[in-house]
Amino acid sequence: MKASRIAAAGAVSGLAVLALSAPAFAHVSVQPEGAAAKGGYAVVDFKVPNERDNASTTKLEVNFPTDHPLASVMPQPVPGWKAEVTKAKPAKPLESHGKQITEVVTKVTWTADGKGVEPGYFQKFPVSIGALPEDADQLVFKAIQTYSNKEVVRWIEVPQEGQEEPDTPAPVLKLSAAEDDAHGASGSDAKADDTEAAAQNTAADTSASDSGSGDGSDTTARVLGIVGIVVGAAGVEYGVLAGRRRNSGTAA
């Protein structure tokens, strides 16, 4: 009986812990598809889970950092959603590939055309961004999530290192060390490409060599074939003559 009570108490405690920790796993977040290296370009996914049982997420607003403006922001089309890009003049001069940038993206808003993100589901919103800053370790994107019942949740609190996660944390993109290729190809990838190119060249050389040797083999085969035909003809002729001799002897 005592063991049953202990087990029941443990189960209740476990449920309580899950209930308290659930919101920490259900906030709007951002994750790169691959690497998000300083100075490079990346595709990032804004992941939006539905935290309500009686309403759907019908709108998402993501505010882009103004302290590190991004010259290129391109949302990927998401079925069932309309994306609207808001631009503004940068607070400080900005260049990309040697050209002066007069506008930067300050916000991207996705609005559902249909039901949106229903209870029990989540949705990813991919965006291509760059060039990522070289003088920052992370980018903070403050997001606003709107439900079909008009409820609004503001994910705008910036998490602080060494402190507990806030109740409504803003999505934070961690940036990795700068890579050789400004467009996101790492040094190892470049080496892999060089290795692959070398392998292709070697294969081409081998193929050419095989082709040359193949011509020699064809010539040799033709000569041997002609010789075989001549020898075969001589053998047939010899057989015919031998048969005639046997027939002549028999007749005698």
Side-chain angles (χ1 to χ4, degrees), residues 3 138 158 190 213 216 240 252:
Q138 64 181 29
V158 181
S213 62
V240 171

Side-chain angles (χ1 to χ4, degrees), residues 143-163:
I144 300 176
Q145 183 179 12
T146 302
Y147 288 90
S148 56
N149 60 1
K150 308 303 180 183
E151 179 187 1
V152 177
V153 180
R154 301 179 182 277
W155 304 98
I156 61 175
E157 296 182 86
V158 181
Q160 302 297 326
E161 187 175 355
Q163 298 182 11

Side-chain angles (χ1 to χ4, degrees), residues 24-191:
F25 293 98
H27 56 74
V28 176
S29 60
V30 59
Q31 291 293 334
E33 295 183 5
K38 298 178 182 180
Y41 289 74
V43 174
V44 299
D45 295 329
F46 291 96
K47 182 179 178 181
V48 182
N50 193 336
E51 296 183 300
R52 302 294 179 262
D53 297 329
N54 58 352
S56 299
T57 296
T58 56
K59 186 177 181 181
L60 173 68
E61 300 173 60
V62 175
N63 294 277
F64 283 71
T66 57
D67 55 342
H68 295 289
L70 300 173
S72 175
V73 175
M74 293 185 293
Q76 178 178 318
V78 178
W81 293 81
K82 177 184 177 181
E84 180 181 357
V85 179
T86 303
K87 298 181 179 180
K89 185 178 180 179
K92 58 182 180 180
L94 184 66
E95 288 188 1
S96 178
H97 301 292
K99 296 182 179 180
Q100 192 74 23
I101 303 300
T102 58
E103 286 185 328
V104 295
V105 174
T106 58
K107 180 172 67 174
V108 178
T109 304
W110 288 270
T111 305
D113 291 334
K115 296 180 180 179
V117 186
E118 298 184 84
Y121 292 87
F122 72 89
Q123 179 66 54
K124 288 184 178 180
F125 298 90
V127 183
S128 173
I129 61 175
L132 300 175
E134 298 180 359
D135 57 348
D137 295 325
Q138 64 181 29
L139 292 178
V140 178
F141 300 87
K142 296 183 178 181
I144 300 176
Q145 183 179 12
T146 302
Y147 288 90
S148 56
N149 60 1
K150 308 303 180 183
E151 179 187 1
V152 177
V153 180
R154 301 179 182 277
W155 304 98
I156 61 175
E157 296 182 86
V158 181
Q160 302 297 326
E161 187 175 355
Q163 298 182 11
E164 293 184 0
E165 186 177 63
D167 293 333
T168 54
V172 176
L173 176 66
K174 300 291 185 180
L175 303 181
S176 58
E179 299 174 337
D180 294 337
D181 187 350
H183 289 276
S186 65
S188 59
D189 292 339
K191 291 180 181 178

